[in-house]
Amino acid sequence: MTGTPAEGTAEILFIGNATLLIRYGELTLLTDPNFLHRGQFAHLGYGLVSRRRTEPALDVTELPHEDLDAVVLSHLHGDHFDRVARRGLDRGLPFVTTPHAGRLLKGLYGFRHATGLRTWQSRTVRHGDSFVRITSLPGRHGPGPARMLLPPVMGSLLQFGDRSGETRLVVYLSGDTLIYDGLREIPRRYPDIHLAVLHLGGTTLPGGLLVTMDAGQGADLLDLVRPRRALPVHYDDYTVFTSPLDDFLAEARRRGHGARLLRCAPGERVTVGVHAAH
């Protein structure tokens, strides 16, 4: 990262897929660590695999490991937590995730400080004068009974603050959710979200089963949450993604969300604050 961000702002490095390195004050978070290389296969369960089309902007060895305070993991799927990340991350690194993923991270993979949160539960992580309150938000990875075949997923609300004790910046990570009624509670509880990070791509499994938001559903989420800014991720890295980023951008602009949209290619950084993003 480029140093400590200005007070009240976060610097976000987009590594690829849904993997972000977020720096706020003295805090550094990693989200959905996916470091497979182009041509390698992510395991999605039940014998399903998907080939990665892109290179991550950083190798797992290039992370600022000594600075990492926690990993926020939306769910335990091979394109969000893979064998490269599993080997390359310290077993003492705290994870904040779903109860399902927390149990497996601890029991199967030996990550000693994995915490599973139920929906609306929170955990606070501190470093020096900086803190982030991480709250598990609703998410649903598949339609109807099909969701029982997929790992439970959560959205995450990141409320950043400093020595004043007040929340200065609010970031929503959608996780691999589809649009459903349970998401309506998010804007009721948190009406002022500074940045929404949207997992898109229209992930489609055999038989045509849609399990992540496509262009239309991504725009639906903007209609619902109405964040000040929105950053699309998770859209072209794997062969199971069928909904191009350009389709989402066009649909979001058609619905009047053009001013909300941020573009950040893998390897690039965006700085987000209450009043501005660039």
Side-chain angles (χ1 to χ4, degrees), residues 16 58 65 93 103 126 129 151 153 156 163 183 206-207 215 227 258 262 271:
L58 290 183
H65 290 273
L93 184 61
R103 288 191 296 270
R126 301 180 183 275
D129 289 333
V153 67
S156 302
R163 57 186 173 275
L183 300 181
L262 294 176
T271 300

Side-chain angles (χ1 to χ4, degrees), residues 152-173:
V153 67
M154 71 177 192
S156 302
L157 195 80
L158 311 179
Q159 295 171 291
F160 293 97
D162 51 33
R163 57 186 173 275
S164 70
E166 298 180 0
T167 297
R168 302 286 301 277
L169 182 68
V170 180
V171 176
Y172 167 44
L173 310 175

Side-chain angles (χ1 to χ4, degrees), residues 87-109:
R87 290 193 299 263
L89 294 174
D90 188 277
R91 293 299 191 275
L93 184 61
F95 276 70
V96 182
T97 187
T98 65
H100 167 266
R103 288 191 296 270
L104 290 175
L105 286 168
K106 271 187 174 180
L108 187 60
Y109 301 131

